[in-house]
Amino acid sequence: MKLSQRLLAAASLVTPGSRPADIGTDHGYLPIFLVQKGLAPSALAADINTGPLLRAEEHIRREGLEDKIELRLMDGIGGLTPEDEIDTIVIAGMGGALTVRILEGGDPAVIARCRELVLAPQSEIGDVREYLSSAGFVITTEEFVFEDGKYYPMMRAQHLPEGEEPRYLRPEEARYGPCLLAGAHPVLRKYLEREKKIQESILAGLPDEKELGDEAALRIAQRRREVLSTLGLNRLALERMEEGKDQSCPRRSEKNCT
C-alpha cells in the first residue's frame, strides 16, 4: 500500500515491533502499512464514527489482515484498557486542542503502559508540545513534511525517565519544535522564511492607530503586537538554526537530534 508523504513520515515515528493504536484511523491506511511492512505485529484501528471504520474494514479485508488489525468504535482513547497492550498511540490529523483532550480523557493506566505517542496535530501545535512537557513526556523525534501546499509537523514523545527533571520548552521551541530546531530541519527553514515574509507583509499593511477611532485602534494595536511577537519568535528560531545543532534537543541520540 502506497502512503502519502505525511502518513509515511508518521509511520517512520512508530518504533518497529510495537503494537500501535491509530486513533481516528479513517481509511485504516497507517495500521495496514505498519503491519504489511512487518513494522508492527498487530494493530488497533479506532474511530468515533461508523463510516470511517467501515471503510477501514473494507481495506483491511482487501489486504487479508483481519487477524492482525482490530477495529474498534470508540471516542478517542477512552475505550482502551491496559489489556489491549498498546505500545504506541497515534493521533494524526486532528486539531491540537482535540489531541490534548483525547490524551487527558484516557485511562491513566493505558497512558502509563504506552511507550510512546506519535502525534501530528493540524493546529495549536505549540499547545500540544507544552502539554507533553507538563504531562511528563519528552519529545524525542520530530518530522516536518510539505505536501500538496501544506506543512505537516509531527512528533514522537516518550515518558520522561524516572528521576529526570522535566525540561520546559522555550517559546520558540514550543512553537516550532525542539528537535526540528536543533537538527536545522530543511522544511522548517522554508516554513520560517515563508512565515517571515507573510508576517512582514501583514505588518506593513496595518494602518496607523492614530488615524483610527478608539475601538479600531485597540484592535489594530493588538494585531500589531501579535505580528511582532510572531516575528520575534521567528527570528529566534532562524538564529537557533543558524547556530547549528545545540543542547536544546531532549534526546540527541534520536533521529533529527543527532
Side-chain angles (χ1 to χ4, degrees), residues 1 3 27-38 43 55-56 58-61 63 65 69:
M1 174 170 288
L3 295 185
H27 292 79
Y29 292 152
L30 183 62
I32 289 173
F33 176 85
L34 292 170
V35 172
Q36 278 186 332
K37 296 297 182 182
R55 290 194 296 269
E58 179 183 348
H59 297 146
I60 291 167
R61 188 186 312 114
E63 301 297 332
L65 296 175
I69 302 175

Side-chain angles (χ1 to χ4, degrees), residues 218-231:
L218 286 174
R219 288 199 304 270
I220 295 301
Q222 175 62 29
R223 182 62 175 140
R224 190 182 304 277
R225 286 193 293 271
E226 292 170 354
V227 173
L228 288 172
S229 175
T230 297
L231 283 170

Side-chain angles (χ1 to χ4, degrees), residues 82-155:
E83 288 69 33
D84 290 313
E85 298 184 336
I86 296 301
D87 303 306
T88 304
I89 292 174
V90 180
I91 307 175
M94 301 185 193
L98 178 56
T99 298
V100 170
R101 286 201 300 273
I102 287 173
L103 293 173
E104 289 180 329
D107 182 344
V110 170
I111 299 294
R113 188 200 180 282
C114 180
R115 294 189 307 191
E116 62 190 17
L117 308 174
V118 173
L119 310 176
Q122 292 190 331
S123 63
E124 302 148 316
I125 300 155
D127 292 342
V128 173
R129 292 190 179 107
E130 289 179 338
Y131 165 78
L132 292 172
S133 180
S134 66
F137 287 90
V138 60
I139 297 170
T140 58
T141 313
E142 291 181 291
E143 266 297 350
F144 206 13
V145 173
F146 181 72
E147 185 175 42
D148 297 332
K150 295 182 180 180
Y151 289 92
Y152 297 97
M154 55 198 73
M155 66 203 77

Side-chain angles (χ1 to χ4, degrees), residues 155-196:
M155 66 203 77
R156 178 171 71 199
Q158 297 173 319
H159 293 285
L160 192 70
E162 187 175 353
E164 186 170 323
E165 289 295 320
R167 179 189 174 282
Y168 294 102
L169 302 176
R170 301 174 186 176
E172 72 273 17
E173 291 175 331
R175 187 179 183 100
Y176 301 114
C179 289
L180 297 176
L181 289 172
H185 197 288
V187 177
L188 175 60
R189 185 183 297 278
K190 291 180 181 179
Y191 174 83
L192 288 169
E193 291 168 351
R194 174 179 177 272
E195 180 186 65
K196 182 173 182 288

